[in-house]
Amino acid sequence: GESVGLHLPTLSVQEGDNSIINCAYSNSASDYFIWYKQESGKGPQFIIDIRSNMDKRQGQRVTVLLNKTVKHLSLQIAATQPGDSAVYFCAENLDTQGGSEKLVFGKGTKLTVNP
Amino acid sequence: EAQVTQNPRYLITVTGKKLTVTCSQNMNHEYMSWYRQDPGLGLRQIYYSMNVEVTDKGDVPEGYKVSRKEKRNFPLILESPSPNQTSLYFCASSLVAGAIPSTDTQYFGPGTRLTVL
């Protein structure tokens, strides 16, 4: 069945270190993936996305890696800062039977950055 | 400012008392969606709408209704709320559903925390 999950529910890092958040997806037909950041008391906020025809995409301090062979997605945050503390969700874009598309979210990883 | 707004932000109600959570976006987006977020379960889609007068069930539609009479508004209706609908609700919108990187992102509202006693 369709599912998107995360290997680690919590991650604690020191300020300045690099963070890696992992995600596994189950639908090999998924062609678009997104990482969201959710701070306490707020809605999810788009960070970065990647299409299935790419292996890597870089943003500002963030990199998303896609391994289609093992259906694995990761988010790398360079020089993690206290403001990066949040819950991070991966999501995959699925085609529905009705011909539309929807996002299926993973359960989230809570990142805590220690000063 | 481009945004998705929800009202109310917080609501405590009793079982069986009909309620509506409003959602509005000012970005002329076609696609709108409602999610509920529960601990350990992440975000689950309740209903979505591809455009005006076009709505469809998501993964957890039971106990909810929606309508899309105007492009900007997508209210979530609980005809007879029950305690298992206590949750954090998010409305989201995007230009179209899904697929174009970086231009088709779903924008989320600030959330509505609902408690049903």
Side-chain angles (χ1 to χ4, degrees):
Chain A
E2 58 187 51
S3 67
V4 178
L6 289 159
H7 295 311
L8 295 173
T10 61
L11 177 64
S12 184
V13 300
Q14 290 298 123
E15 182 177 358
D17 287 352
N18 296 332
S19 303
I20 299 176
I21 301 172
N22 296 304
C23 180
Y25 64 95
S26 62
N27 193 323
S28 57
S30 296
D31 61 358
Y32 177 50
F33 304 88
I34 309 172
W35 279 101
Y36 283 91
K37 172 186 180 183
Q38 186 177 22
E39 297 174 278
S40 180
K42 296 183 180 179
Q45 181 182 14
F46 171 88
I47 303 174
I48 192 169
D49 56 11
I50 189 168
R51 288 196 67 88
S52 59
N53 61 354
M54 302 170 69
D55 297 323
K56 178 180 180 179
R57 191 156 191 238
Q58 287 185 293
Q60 187 177 14
R61 280 201 309 117
V62 294
T63 301
V64 55
L65 299 177
L66 177 62
N67 185 331
K68 294 180 288 293
T69 302
V70 295
K71 291 185 283 187
H72 183 268
L73 193 67
S74 69
L75 177 70
Q76 300 179 359
I77 305 173
T80 314
Q81 302 168 359
D84 295 327
S85 293
V87 177
Y88 290 81
F89 294 93
C90 63
E92 62 177 317
N93 189 57
L94 293 178
D95 293 328
T96 68
Q97 290 182 339
S100 63
E101 297 174 328
K102 69 173 185 179
L103 287 179
V104 175
F105 286 82
K107 293 178 174 50
T109 291
K110 183 177 181 180
L111 174 66
T112 301
V113 181
N114 302 309
Chain B
E1 180 188 354
Q3 59 182 354
V4 179
T5 57
Q6 295 178 226
N7 281 292
R9 293 290 314 280
Y10 302 90
L11 179 61
I12 300 175
T13 189
V14 296
T15 298
K17 185 176 181 181
K18 181 180 178 179
L19 67 92
T20 299
V21 184
T22 64
C23 173
S24 183
Q25 50 92 5
N26 62 1
M27 296 168 279
N28 202 35
H29 284 170
E30 292 181 349
Y31 183 87
M32 297 185 74
S33 181
W34 275 103
Y35 296 87
R36 60 177 290 174
Q37 186 175 33
D38 303 290
L41 297 176
L43 284 154
R44 294 179 293 167
Q45 191 179 52
I46 303 171
Y47 267 94
Y48 64 95
S49 170
M50 298 290 288
N51 212 325
V52 176
E53 301 292 1
V54 182
T55 64
D56 210 345
K57 297 177 180 179
D59 297 315
V60 289
E62 294 77 20
Y64 304 95
K65 285 175 55 178
V66 292
S67 70
R68 188 87 182 275
K69 292 183 170 52
E70 305 166 280
K71 201 171 190 178
R72 64 182 291 125
N73 296 323
F74 190 45
L76 179 69
I77 303 155
L78 285 71
E79 294 273 4
S80 183
S82 63
N84 64 11
Q85 293 178 297
T86 293
S87 187
L88 180 59
Y89 292 87
F90 288 101
C91 180
S93 74
S94 63
L95 191 59
V96 296
I100 304 172
S102 300
T103 60
D104 244 2
T105 313
Q106 283 202 40
Y107 294 86
F108 283 82
T112 295
R113 186 165 292 280
L114 172 65
T115 302
V116 183
L117 303 174

